[in-house]
Amino acid sequence: MARNRGLHMGKLTSALIAGMATIAFASSASASTTIDFSNIKATWFDVQGGANVNTSGNGTGDASVSWGIGANQSGYRFQAIGIPTLIVDPITDLSAITNIGQFTHFNFPIDSGTSITGVKLQFSTDVLVNGDPFGTVNFIYAFDHEETPNADNPCAYGGANSQGVNINGCADRVAVNFNQSSGFFSIGQVDYALDVRGFLVGGNPASSFLTVESQTNTAFLRGQVVLRENAGAVPEPASWAMMILGFGLVGAAKRKRDPRMARVAN
C-alpha cells in the first residue's frame, strides 16, 4: 500500500509540474504582442552632397534616388516587401530580426566629386498592435555612402584591386542607421520602434554593404522591433552574456527563496 501511495504521489507531482509548465507557457504566450506592418511607402530625402541628384517614386512602395555625372548615374532603390507578423517578447522587449525591404545600389563610375555622402529614407507604414490599428508611423533610416577611388590598390575595403568584391575596381561601402527623429508606436504605455539592423547580403547578415563597381547590387534591409529608447543601439556580446546570466541568477534566487518550489523540484 505504501508503495502504491508513493507511485500515486509521484504521478501527482509529475502532473503538477506539467500543469505548472503549461500554465507558465500559456501565460508567457498571452503576454506576447503581435505587430504587423502594412501599406509601406518610401521617400528619399535630405541628400548630403552629390551632383545632378534626382528622385523618383517617392511616396510609393518603390522609390529611387540617383546622382552623379558620367555614362550612367549611380543610385539607390528601395522596394517594399511583405513583412511577416512579428512577436515582441515580453521579457526582452525585442522581436526577431527580419527582412523589411529590398535595397539596391546601382554602382556605376561617376566623375570625382559628384557622389553623395549620405541620404535618409522615410519608411512609412501602417502599424497594427495585436490586430488593432495604431496608425501610420514614419521611421527614418540614415544611409552613409562611401564612394571609393576605383584605382586604389589595395582598396579601402575587400583587399586587393581586381579581385573578389573589387573585381571591377574598388567597391563602395553603404551603411545604414536608425535616425532618432523617427516616430514610434505604443504597446500599453511603452513606446517601440522598428529599428534597422543592417543588410542581408547573399543570405549573410552584414552591418554594411560592399557593392561591386559597374554592377547592380541587391540586398535585403533588416529590421527589429525594439524599445524606442534603445533604437539605434546594438548591445555588445558581453552585455548580452551578462543579461542571460542575470536572468539565470534571478530564477535561481526565486527558487531558493520559495521552499514550495524547492520541494516540487525535489
Side-chain angles (χ1 to χ4, degrees):
M1 181 68 71
R3 182 174 180 275
N4 289 338
R5 280 202 301 270
L7 289 173
H8 182 65
M9 289 301 296
K11 290 179 180 180
L12 285 177
T13 300
S14 298
L16 177 60
I17 293 173
M20 289 175 64
T22 301
I23 292 171
F25 177 82
S27 175
S28 175
S30 65
S32 299
T33 302
T34 61
I35 307 296
D36 290 282
F37 301 99
S38 62
N39 192 28
I40 297 168
K41 297 177 181 178
T43 299
W44 295 103
F45 72 105
D46 194 19
V47 179
Q48 305 296 311
N52 199 24
V53 176
N54 300 285
T55 60
S56 63
N58 273 351
T60 74
D62 188 347
S64 299
V65 57
S66 58
W67 63 84
I69 299 173
N72 295 293
Q73 283 194 300
S74 284
Y76 291 165
R77 181 183 185 185
F78 176 87
Q79 295 170 280
I81 62 173
I83 301 176
T85 296
L86 296 178
I87 299 175
V88 179
D89 186 279
I91 296 177
T92 64
D93 284 314
L94 296 170
S95 75
I97 297 176
T98 190
N99 298 335
I100 62 172
Q102 183 168 286
F103 173 80
T104 301
H105 178 205
F106 303 96
N107 187 353
F108 297 110
I110 56 177
D111 292 350
S112 177
T114 64
S115 172
I116 69 168
T117 58
V119 64
K120 292 185 178 70
L121 176 70
Q122 178 178 283
F123 181 101
S124 178
T125 177
D126 295 340
V127 180
L128 278 75
V129 179
N130 285 331
D132 296 325
F134 177 85
T136 301
V137 181
N138 296 323
F139 301 110
I140 308 298
Y141 306 133
F143 287 76
D144 294 321
H145 184 90
E146 188 171 351
E147 187 85 14
T148 60
N150 288 330
D152 284 358
N153 194 12
C155 295
Y157 305 100
N161 207 325
S162 303
Q163 297 180 19
V165 72
N166 299 317
I167 188 65
N168 298 327
C170 293
D172 295 339
R173 178 180 178 272
V174 183
V176 60
N177 298 283
F178 183 86
N179 187 272
Q180 295 301 321
S181 63
S182 290
F184 59 88
F185 60 93
S186 300
I187 301 175
Q189 302 299 315
V190 182
D191 297 335
Y192 289 80
L194 182 60
D195 200 357
V196 64
R197 295 299 196 190
F199 302 93
L200 189 70
V201 184
N204 299 309
S207 58
S208 61
F209 187 15
L210 297 182
T211 63
V212 180
E213 195 72 33
S214 301
Q215 288 191 15
T216 297
N217 300 265
T218 300
F220 285 106
L221 198 64
R222 304 280 274 165
Q224 181 180 34
V225 173
V226 303
L227 286 172
R228 174 66 179 83
E229 63 195 50
N230 293 335
V234 180
E236 296 294 333
S239 298
W240 281 114
M242 289 301 293
M243 288 171 63
I244 294 170
L245 177 61
F247 289 142
L249 291 175
V250 169
K254 286 183 177 178
R255 288 192 296 272
K256 185 175 182 180
R257 286 197 303 266
D258 194 337
R260 292 171 299 175
M261 293 185 66
R263 285 196 294 271
V264 170
N266 292 329

